[in-house]
Amino acid sequence: MRSPCVEAGLIPPLVQLLNSTDQEVLLQTGRALGNICYDSHSLQAQLINMGVIPTLVKLLGIHSHNTALTEMCLIAFGNLAELESSKEQFASTNIAEELVHLFQKQTEHEKKEMIFEVLAPLAENDVIKLQLVEAGLVECLLDVVAQTVDGEREEDIAQLKTASDLMVLLLLGDESMQKLFEGGKGSVFQRVLSWIPSHSHQLQLAGALAIANFARNDGNCIHMVDTGIVQKLLELLDRHVEEGNVTVQHAALSALRNLAIPVVNKSKMLSAGVADVVLKFLQSEMPPVQFKLLGTLRMLIDTQAEAADHLGTNGKLVERLVEWCEAKDHAGVMGESNRLLSALIRHSKSKEVVRTVIQGGGVKHLVTMATSEHMIMQNEALVALGLIAALDLVAAEKDLVGAGLVSVLHKLLSDERSAPEIKYNSMVLICAVMGSEPLHKEVQSLAFISIVSKLRAHENKTVSHQASLTEQRLTAQS
């Protein structure tokens, strides 16, 4: 039935009828357009181009007392809001105020759900996020949470989830998040904090995700750590070591990882016992939890030699990292494991840590990491391998030979695309392994001198200087 209507050119006159003042005409017109355009993105896009969104928003404001017309508008918004092209038009109307106003008047669960279904896709747009915050949506959401948190009916549980999820979504916008943070003094921020010790897993989850979203700049992170949020998150994690709700574990670890980014927070968080609590999840078999656990530890030990030394000599941790370095099905976990293994060595610069990594079988993974497609990972691997060679070459020799380190270095230096720091650290490493007879022999057999001598003319002064030193070393020991 749809095609004949479209071919007969029915859509433009129907759109014109939306300017009528007759409520029955408006209702039937809206329904007809809805039926014709249902599930067709191209026809919905045509409606958007014909300016139907501002018209419908205006109708909602004028006829908000007419239940049937209101529902017709909400269904239309729900369909149109799925299209990315609609967001800009919605943002230029007062849709946020109209929806919040409508929401405040509702008492029935079904009506609130209808409005929620429009709010969720609209709130993905950062401009509309801010408009919704300014229109007072957050206060409505907090009220819904307060009313439903102890409810056991299915509709209470559903509303609690929808309201708290939408709250987290609003915090994904930088401006809307900062507005609600209010320097850590905001009532909204305080209310969200109170969700973390809640008995409801849904609120614990939303509270932890909200903290992770608030923790998106250094100022907020520093304020939150100074006001004791870390302790709340640790208590939450402790509750979930046994209960084991994976989404809550993941959210709380995400929040801790973000909070650990500013340098001034690291020692405070280590003193609060964050590393010890995080290590309780080392046995988790869930990749999302493993990924966040690794990221949190890596952030914590950055520039913290004592913590890196303490964790780097933890045989169980190193053993698990080596195991995860082989998690080929989970690239994120594999990458983070390699990076943490390297970070433990780089930040501790400790012979004991190097020995623990060698004994745990980590050396070959660092050699593989040096061939990563990500320059930052290549570099981290080379620096860690340089420290291994400098601190305990004898113990690492067999693994370095077995992993083909010398041919990896040859490839990195021969590749014109290698960044200057990769070339520099590769040459430093060549010099460091010359004290090992088998590695020295491999260096000689691969004719490094010709590649290194070319690098003396490299435009980067640090690279050209290191090339001269390396060439002298290779020539002296040839």
Side-chain angles (χ1 to χ4, degrees):
M1 196 58 220
R2 175 187 298 181
S3 299
C5 295
V6 177
E7 284 159 17
L10 200 55
I11 291 179
L14 281 173
V15 169
Q16 280 303 311
L17 280 175
L18 290 175
N19 295 309
S20 168
T21 52
D22 185 319
Q23 294 187 24
E24 191 56 32
V25 170
L26 288 170
L27 182 60
Q28 299 310 330
T29 303
R31 284 176 177 165
L33 282 169
N35 290 335
I36 295 169
C37 301
Y38 177 71
D39 225 15
S40 164
H41 282 177
S42 61
L43 291 176
Q44 287 169 358
Q46 198 177 320
L47 286 182
I48 291 167
N49 291 335
M50 293 169 82
V52 81
I53 288 173
T55 307
L56 286 172
V57 173
K58 202 154 78 184
L59 287 181
L60 182 67
I62 298 167
H63 302 291
S64 60
H65 54 279
N66 182 325
T67 308
L69 257 179
T70 300
E71 284 184 14
M72 182 273 288
C73 288
L74 289 174
I75 291 165
F77 294 149
N79 289 327
L80 296 171
E82 297 295 334
L83 270 74
E84 205 45 51
S85 59
S86 73
K87 305 284 169 63
E88 212 170 298
Q89 278 208 26
F90 274 119
S92 66
T93 69
N94 64 335
I95 183 80
E97 285 171 40
E98 294 295 356
L99 289 175
V100 171
H101 180 62
L102 193 62
F103 191 89
Q104 287 164 338
K105 295 197 307 189
Q106 301 309 320
T107 51
E108 291 173 48
H109 167 70
E110 283 76 16
K111 296 277 164 46
K112 286 182 178 174
E113 277 300 317
M114 278 187 86
I115 301 170
F116 274 143
E117 279 169 25
V118 180
L119 287 169
L122 286 180
E124 285 168 11
N125 176 282
D126 280 1
V127 177
I128 302 173
K129 275 188 184 79
L130 191 59
Q131 291 172 351
L132 289 168
V133 167
E134 286 171 343
L137 177 62
V138 172
E139 288 70 22
C140 297
L141 297 177
L142 290 171
D143 288 345
V144 171
V145 168
Q147 289 156 16
T148 55
V149 66
D150 296 317
E152 287 172 11
R153 293 176 308 168
E154 218 167 281
E155 63 186 51
D156 286 336
I157 295 163
Q159 272 196 49
L160 179 71
K161 177 171 170 37
T162 311
S164 52
D165 283 351
L166 191 48
M167 183 75 195
V168 172
L169 182 57
L170 291 176
L171 292 172
L172 279 172
D174 287 338
E175 281 189 79
S176 49
M177 177 273 287
Q178 212 52 45
K179 187 174 177 65
L180 294 170
F181 189 66
E182 289 183 66
K185 309 254 186 315
S187 62
V188 173
F189 172 64
Q190 297 301 331
R191 291 270 291 275
V192 168
L193 273 191
S194 72
W195 293 356
I196 294 175
S198 160
H199 57 79
S200 154
H201 282 183
Q202 173 58 33
L203 275 196
Q204 293 169 7
L205 170 65
L209 287 172
I211 298 304
N213 285 343
F214 280 124
R216 286 210 313 277
N217 63 53
D218 283 7
N220 291 7
C221 289
I222 292 164
H223 178 85
M224 287 194 278
V225 167
D226 286 346
T227 50
I229 280 172
V230 169
Q231 207 47 50
K232 283 185 167 63
L233 290 168
L234 294 184
E235 284 162 13
L236 176 60
L237 276 173
D238 263 331
R239 288 165 69 180
H240 285 277
V241 175
E242 299 306 325
E243 284 178 52
N245 184 303
V246 173
T247 51
V248 176
Q249 291 172 0
H250 180 261
L253 288 168
S254 296
L256 287 171
R257 182 198 174 280
N258 288 2
L259 289 170
I261 293 172
V263 176
V264 293
N265 282 357
K266 297 180 196 295
S267 58
K268 293 173 186 171
M269 289 176 73
L270 286 163
S271 302
V274 172
D276 298 332
V277 174
V278 170
L279 285 174
K280 291 179 185 178
F281 296 90
L282 207 52
Q283 295 316 309
S284 172
E285 292 303 329
M286 306 305 289
V289 174
Q290 295 167 353
F291 180 72
K292 287 296 176 187
L293 172 154
L294 293 163
T296 306
L297 290 176
R298 187 166 65 79
M299 283 301 157
L300 278 173
I301 63 165
D302 192 10
T303 69
Q304 305 298 306
E306 198 181 320
D309 195 29
H310 178 64
L311 289 172
T313 49
N314 179 332
K316 279 194 174 142
L317 170 62
V318 171
E319 196 180 301
R320 195 71 162 134
L321 292 183
V322 169
E323 188 186 320
W324 286 338
C325 283
E326 291 168 4
K328 293 195 167 48
D329 295 342
H330 302 287
V333 172
M334 195 163 89
E336 277 293 344
S337 300
N338 277 301
R339 293 191 75 186
L340 181 53
L341 205 54
S342 155
L344 291 168
I345 295 169
R346 288 183 297 110
H347 296 300
S348 69
K349 298 183 176 58
S350 146
K351 190 167 183 171
E352 285 308 307
V353 172
V354 164
R355 197 156 281 175
T356 309
V357 171
I358 295 168
Q359 285 166 355
V363 173
K364 63 180 180 186
H365 295 297
L366 291 170
V367 175
T368 306
M369 182 183 169
T371 64
S372 164
E373 58 197 31
H374 304 291
M375 189 199 82
I376 190 162
M377 286 177 69
Q378 285 184 322
N379 212 35
E380 287 171 359
L382 291 170
V383 173
L385 288 164
L387 285 162
I388 289 173
L391 293 168
D392 206 342
L393 183 58
V394 175
E397 181 181 80
K398 192 175 162 207
D399 291 342
L400 293 171
V401 172
L405 171 69
V406 174
S407 61
V408 166
L409 295 175
H410 191 271
K411 270 190 200 136
L412 290 174
L413 285 173
S414 311
D415 189 346
E416 287 176 10
R417 294 165 305 174
S418 292
E421 49 267 59
I422 301 298
K423 292 191 186 301
Y424 171 80
N425 283 317
S426 296
M427 288 187 284
V428 169
L429 192 44
I430 289 164
C431 295
V433 300
M434 292 293 276
S436 150
E437 195 184 330
L439 289 165
H440 186 174
K441 273 186 185 159
E442 282 188 44
V443 170
Q444 284 180 314
S445 71
L446 277 172
F448 269 89
I449 290 185
S450 61
I451 306 172
V452 171
S453 63
K454 281 182 198 158
L455 289 174
R456 277 173 33 211
H458 197 280
E459 59 187 3
N460 183 296
K461 292 284 174 279
T462 314
V463 172
S464 58
H465 178 61
Q466 185 58 42
S468 299
L469 295 177
T470 307
E471 188 182 24
Q472 285 167 23
R473 184 82 188 270
L474 291 169
T475 311
Q477 292 190 263
S478 61

